[in-house]
Amino acid sequence: MSECGYMKYRLIKGFTVAELMIAMTIVGIISAITIPAVIGNYQKKTFVTMLQKNYSELSQNLAIMSTEKYQKSFYKSLLGTQNNAEKFFDNYYIHTDVDSFATSYGALNGGTENFTCSGTNATLKSGAAMCIINATATTPATVYLDVNGKDNPNMGGRDMFTLYIYDDYSIDDKDITPDKISNGTAETARNTLFTQSCKSSKLGEGCFGKILNDNWRMEY
């Protein structure tokens, strides 16, 4: 049979079962490799978008509150007492007092930890769960934020984060004080905290600062 005739024969006959099976196997292997990565990246972008939205809302509410006459001493009084933290939610958020945190959270490198809000808890209109732990004379106010409430994955550094409010009303990671922002050492300090804490923290300690450093991307 001539080459031309053979090609016509092949076109009429089509693919063999063996050829189709090989093609399907190749497609299956490629899908198994790429689809989880695509889904994972999509989930990360979704969580970061939700985190950024909640961060912006908290920042705006703190800025508004800090200008109001009766709240001039907010940091030492409102964040220093549970009653005033409740007023903060009541005055600046659409929320309910229902606890929408999961009962436990996992770390990126394994393990779980039970969680109970020991401060003032609120479920925001967005569905996020927020808990404010009062500031003390030596520690800033702590904020636990689960950007999607009880929904999965309930994992530190994914949907659960720990943030801190400092006395200038800035929001950052642990020990990233206003002076570190002003003297240019904040980025290095955030990266160090990320290395030490993020992947082992069930509550996302050290993860928020890394996201800030990476311009609101979850590069871990």
Side-chain angles (χ1 to χ4, degrees):
M1 182 182 295
S2 67
E3 183 177 348
C4 181
Y6 177 77
M7 292 301 296
K8 287 181 180 180
Y9 173 78
R10 290 286 295 171
L11 289 172
I12 294 171
K13 184 179 180 183
F15 294 103
T16 65
V17 173
E19 289 171 334
L20 288 173
M21 292 298 293
I22 292 170
M24 291 175 64
T25 300
I26 293 171
V27 171
I29 292 172
I30 294 173
S31 298
I33 294 171
T34 60
I35 289 177
V38 170
I39 293 174
N41 287 334
Y42 173 78
Q43 289 178 333
K44 287 182 179 181
K45 289 180 180 179
T46 299
F47 292 140
V48 169
T49 298
M50 297 165 77
L51 173 63
Q52 188 173 18
K53 179 180 178 181
N54 281 281
Y55 166 85
S56 297
E57 186 175 20
L58 178 58
S59 296
Q60 291 168 7
N61 289 340
L62 288 170
I64 295 170
M65 179 276 308
S66 67
T67 65
E68 296 189 359
K69 183 170 59 178
Y70 76 98
Q71 292 292 8
K72 287 294 183 181
S73 59
F74 170 81
Y75 192 78
K76 292 183 174 60
S77 63
L78 189 150
L79 286 187
T81 68
Q82 183 172 337
N83 181 56
N84 282 333
E86 291 173 356
K87 288 181 181 178
F88 177 62
F89 282 123
D90 290 341
N91 291 339
Y92 302 102
Y93 278 99
I94 297 174
H95 74 289
T96 67
D97 295 328
V98 176
D99 185 351
S100 60
F101 284 98
T103 56
S104 65
Y105 289 87
L108 293 172
N109 63 2
T112 59
E113 175 182 316
N114 292 336
F115 177 80
T116 302
C117 172
S118 59
T120 304
N121 176 75
T123 299
L124 310 184
K125 183 180 179 181
S126 65
M130 183 180 290
C131 175
I132 296 178
I133 307 295
N134 302 337
T136 69
T138 57
T139 60
T142 304
V143 178
Y144 296 112
L145 175 65
D146 186 332
V147 297
N148 62 348
K150 292 182 179 180
D151 291 343
N152 289 329
N154 297 323
M155 182 173 291
R158 286 292 182 263
D159 55 344
M160 178 64 157
F161 300 90
T162 302
L163 294 69
Y164 295 86
I165 303 173
Y166 293 91
D167 55 9
D168 66 344
Y169 306 110
S170 63
I171 306 167
D172 217 303
D173 222 323
K174 186 177 182 181
D175 297 329
I176 312 300
T177 51
D179 62 293
K180 290 182 180 178
I181 302 293
S182 61
N183 65 24
T185 61
E187 183 172 351
T188 299
R190 291 182 189 128
N191 284 335
T192 299
L193 184 62
F194 166 78
T195 301
Q196 293 173 342
S197 305
C198 179
K199 293 185 179 181
S200 60
S201 172
K202 283 77 173 177
L203 303 179
E205 187 86 60
C207 302
F208 175 65
K210 176 65 172 172
I211 291 173
L212 288 182
N213 278 356
D214 292 336
N215 195 27
W216 292 102
R217 295 190 304 272
M218 194 178 285
E219 302 285 359
Y220 59 84

